[in-house]
Amino acid sequence: MSIGPVFDRPRHVFAPARVPPPGAWTVEEESPVSRSQHNAPVPAGNSGGSFEIGSFDFHGKPVIVLSNETGSWAVLGQLCQNLTLDSEAQRRAVLRKAWSRGKTDVREVMLPGQNRAYPQFLVHERIVPMWLANITSSRIEDPSTRANVEQAQVELADALHAYVTSRHTVREPTKLELARDLVVALEAREALEAENKVLAPKAGKWDAFMNSEGLIGMTAIADMLGVPVVDMTNWLVTEGVFRKQVSRFGSNKNMPRRTYQSSGHFAVKLETNGKVSYEVAYATVVGADFVFDRWQAHAAA
């Protein structure tokens, strides 16, 4: 898909230049399509013609979602505008990551409130949690921006998932999508294995608690801290790491948020006792150290 003709069309010498809205690319900028191999093969569109455009409110600001046969897409420039982040810096950061391969695109779309279509950098719903988790909020100097980013890291991925699933039935992924996801998963596993080699000395204290998948139960972590597991997971809820989730039997369970699952801190497994199936939260070594260190800092405060 090429958008070259849009940029190559000359303006009349007397016509005033139009100023694109935040998040859109100008004529002078290099189009990400021309130098990125990450763009997903989606149907051509103009002015949102191939997309169903919707939005939901996130703490008083709209989040625009574009949906088509390949899934749902967020407009990175618009998300960055809501969070007062540099959209160009975030675009470059996303394209540097292996997990963005096949999950970004640049399309001409006329968004609500605009009078014409502009090129927009889109990110697939599947990588929004990864994008949020990779923003280092501690490096953001402005307190207001830092607070907005941290709030989005805790809540936005869940809000987007809830919006998408409430509007559309779940579509079975294509074989090509499954293959791409497999490649991303293998690359992520290789990166995690490399990180684990560096963390190996620190990981030793968890060796006795790991299951066959290298995961650590929340009860084991609570025992290491000397607190009841319910108290520990309730505290993780107040910290925004876990959230209360109603089980199918009506009881409340504390489960890790999707952002922290996508970042490799926690995993949720479906288990059975022979009669019923239920979800169980586990921590990775990184997640166990994260909880252990954060609890100790909390106890010392």
Side-chain angles (χ1 to χ4, degrees):
M1 186 261 314
S2 173
I3 55 174
V6 175
F7 292 111
D8 295 338
R9 185 174 60 247
R11 290 195 179 101
H12 193 280
V13 292
F14 298 108
R18 291 172 175 168
V19 179
W25 278 268
T26 62
V27 177
E28 290 77 15
E29 286 186 281
E30 180 185 4
S31 167
V33 173
S34 63
R35 59 184 180 84
S36 169
Q37 299 303 315
H38 291 239
N39 302 299
V42 300
N46 185 30
S47 302
S50 64
F51 290 103
E52 176 188 347
I53 301 179
S55 67
F56 64 92
D57 179 85
F58 185 72
H59 293 285
K61 295 181 179 179
V63 175
I64 297 175
V65 180
L66 285 67
S67 302
N68 63 9
E69 63 183 25
T70 64
S72 295
W73 304 76
V75 182
L76 185 67
Q78 192 251 346
L79 292 179
C80 290
Q81 184 180 3
N82 286 356
L83 300 175
T84 61
L85 294 174
D86 183 343
S87 61
E88 174 61 13
Q90 292 302 315
R91 179 181 71 84
R92 293 180 184 274
V94 168
L95 291 178
R96 283 196 296 267
K97 301 296 184 180
W99 45 255
S100 73
R101 210 165 288 156
K103 295 293 187 293
T104 67
D105 192 22
V106 177
R107 309 305 294 280
E108 276 215 330
V109 182
M110 185 168 68
L111 300 179
Q114 297 180 358
N115 58 6
R116 54 162 290 192
Y118 291 98
Q120 304 287 350
F121 184 76
L122 308 180
V123 291
H124 198 274
E125 59 176 297
R126 294 187 184 182
I127 66 169
V128 170
M130 294 295 291
W131 166 63
L132 290 168
N134 276 269
I135 299 174
T136 307
S137 61
S138 60
R139 296 181 182 177
I140 301 175
E141 296 181 359
D142 182 69
S144 176
T145 300
R146 184 168 60 252
N148 287 338
V149 169
E150 290 176 345
Q151 184 180 58
Q153 288 177 322
V154 172
E155 302 176 13
L156 182 55
D158 287 336
L160 176 60
H161 178 75
Y163 172 81
V164 171
T165 54
S166 67
R167 289 173 57 88
H168 303 286
T169 56
V170 177
R171 180 182 62 84
E172 289 294 325
T174 65
K175 291 182 178 179
L176 180 59
E177 289 173 330
L178 290 173
R180 286 174 175 158
D181 287 345
L182 177 61
V183 170
V184 171
L186 290 174
E187 290 176 339
R189 188 176 71 178
E190 289 178 357
L192 186 60
E193 288 174 352
E195 184 179 357
N196 285 341
K197 290 180 181 178
V198 177
L199 296 174
K202 191 175 182 181
K205 66 183 178 185
W206 301 113
D207 288 347
F209 304 102
M210 289 183 186
N211 63 15
S212 60
E213 297 180 79
L215 300 174
I216 303 142
M218 304 309 297
T219 301
I221 300 174
D223 289 344
M224 287 278 285
L225 296 172
V227 297
V229 66
V230 174
D231 292 349
M232 184 188 73
T233 57
N234 281 339
W235 169 74
L236 288 171
V237 170
T238 64
E239 291 288 299
V241 179
F242 276 37
R243 64 185 178 90
K244 287 192 177 295
Q245 178 175 301
V246 179
S247 73
R248 66 178 189 172
F249 303 106
S251 60
N252 286 326
K253 296 180 65 176
N254 298 330
M255 303 299 288
R257 291 185 176 273
R258 290 181 181 275
T259 299
Y260 287 93
Q261 293 180 52
S262 299
S263 62
H265 286 77
F266 300 97
V268 175
K269 299 292 183 178
L270 189 65
E271 300 185 356
T272 181
N273 61 7
K275 296 181 179 179
V276 295
S277 298
Y278 50 90
E279 291 184 329
V280 178
Y282 289 93
T284 62
V285 171
V286 175
D289 284 330
F290 169 78
V291 174
F292 191 85
D293 295 342
R294 192 157 178 167
W295 178 271
Q296 289 189 322
H298 163 73

